[in-house]
Amino acid sequence: MSDSTYFSLNQQAWDERAKVHFDSQFYDVPGFMQGNSSLTEIESAELSEIEVRGKSMLHLQCHFGLDSLSWARLGAKVTGVDFSAPAIEKARELNQALNLDAQFICSDVYSYGETAKTEFDLVFTSFGTICWLPCIDTWAQVVANSLKSGGIFYMAEFHPIRDFLAGESYFHAPAPYVYDEGTYTENGAGHEASMASWSHPLSRVITALIDAGIKIDKVSEFPFSPYDCFEGLEQREPKRFSQWIGTHALPLVYSIKGTKI
Ligand SMILES: C[S@@+](CC[C@H](N)C(=O)[O-])C[C@H]1O[C@@H](n2cnc3c(N)ncnc32)[C@H](O)[C@@H]1O
């Protein structure tokens, strides 16, 4: 199968997931409409309100826009990109209902990068994004090309060590891992779909960003996930879900902050 065939497999699954997720307690759209932020403690602490207020932000793989609109509520001028049309439709509806000024573009990340000319102050992406992309170098090039010189890149992502312990390759292979899976929200039963994902070890992500012209300012690893989205996680602190091996917590999330040279 070609990468474009895998993309359409994933797109079908994400189109279905967008509708299921929108109605889930996990995403809590009613709470969001009443003013809750969907941002987690990780990106909220590492990308400050001062850094985003009044800045233009590209949000790659924005799903149905809750994080994009949370940044918009903090004063960022956000453009969200996602290849799922139902997700983008929901994002636009929420944007209008909340009277915010975010823009949403329905496109896969690579096609967006081939045509887009706008340079942003910030590029943001988080939690469950790069595993859907076969080539991390092309992704890093899209990130770098979308930033103004001096612009900030920030990502928070699930740690690849967890997928390795769940049976996937730690190291990258051109052929994806293809599997049938339900989704991670509590209402996901009956929505199993075939999906294709690619491993990207931390070293490759960092090197791809450096090669694309991003100066790495900070890399962090976290012994918890802010989401209860994997089997076997245990919550010992509010909104911190960990996996223990003996008495040691697994790194479940990493983040990278950098600046376009
Ligand atoms: C886990 S979600 C995004 C996570 C986000 N933090 C959230 O929970 O709202 C992953 C998103 O990536 C999108 N996606 C997957 N592959 C993509 C691609 N090649 N181009 C653009 N979007 C893609 C999906 O449609 C989905 O909305």
Side-chain angles (χ1 to χ4, degrees):
M1 273 207 244
S2 66
D3 284 351
S4 63
T5 314
Y6 290 127
F7 269 25
S8 24
L9 199 70
N10 287 344
Q11 199 168 19
Q12 276 174 37
W14 278 109
D15 286 355
E16 173 76 1
R17 283 179 165 203
K19 296 174 205 150
V20 175
H21 290 184
F22 191 83
D23 294 330
S24 70
Q25 289 166 22
F26 184 99
Y27 279 96
D28 186 20
V29 172
F32 180 78
M33 297 305 283
Q34 282 162 27
N36 294 348
S37 172
S38 64
L39 301 174
T40 80
E41 64 167 296
I42 293 176
E43 63 272 24
S44 301
E46 294 197 309
L47 199 52
S48 72
E49 195 174 336
I50 296 168
E51 283 173 304
V52 306
R53 183 161 294 284
K55 304 279 174 54
S56 58
M57 173 189 278
L58 175 66
H59 180 188
L60 293 174
Q61 296 175 250
C62 63
H63 205 24
F64 58 89
L66 293 193
D67 287 357
S68 323
L69 297 171
S70 295
W71 289 120
R73 278 174 168 161
L74 294 177
K77 297 177 183 38
V78 182
T79 300
V81 172
D82 200 285
F83 73 174
S84 165
I88 289 296
E89 199 181 314
K90 291 286 183 204
R92 287 181 180 146
E93 281 170 23
L94 291 174
N95 181 55
Q96 197 169 15
L98 292 166
N99 212 11
L100 292 165
D101 65 351
Q103 306 289 317
F104 291 97
I105 297 171
C106 188
S107 172
D108 82 76
V109 170
Y110 296 159
S111 307
Y112 171 80
E114 278 164 20
T115 51
K117 298 273 178 283
T118 313
E119 292 182 346
F120 294 82
D121 297 312
L122 295 150
V123 173
F124 170 80
T125 195
S126 72
F127 298 110
T129 54
I130 57 172
C131 64
W132 309 113
L133 305 175
C135 178
I136 203 67
D137 294 305
T138 309
W139 164 83
Q141 207 60 62
V142 176
V143 168
N145 291 347
S146 304
L147 277 171
K148 293 177 184 167
S149 176
I152 296 172
F153 168 67
Y154 180 82
M155 73 183 290
E157 184 53 284
F158 296 115
H159 204 293
I161 197 70
R162 200 211 145 265
D163 290 335
F164 169 73
L165 291 178
E168 289 180 44
S169 169
Y170 181 79
F171 294 102
H172 178 75
Y177 179 62
V178 183
Y179 52 98
D180 285 330
E181 200 177 71
T183 188
Y184 48 86
T185 52
E186 80 294 337
N187 59 344
H191 296 283
E192 283 72 22
S194 264
M195 302 186 87
S197 70
W198 289 265
S199 305
H200 301 296
L202 202 42
S203 55
R204 281 293 303 125
V205 180
I206 293 169
T207 304
L209 288 165
I210 294 170
D211 289 348
I214 305 289
K215 178 172 78 65
I216 304 296
D217 299 317
K218 189 178 177 189
V219 179
S220 310
E221 294 172 287
F222 300 86
F224 62 87
S225 158
Y227 302 108
D228 186 13
C229 57
F230 304 122
E231 264 178 43
L233 300 188
E234 192 188 323
Q235 183 176 206
R236 295 189 186 170
E237 295 175 85
K239 296 190 179 173
R240 291 183 170 196
F241 301 88
S242 294
Q243 186 170 335
W244 302 88
I245 297 191
T247 55
H248 305 294
L250 205 67
L252 284 181
V253 168
Y254 70 90
S255 66
I256 301 175
K257 194 169 184 181
T259 309
K260 165 88 173 277
I261 299 166

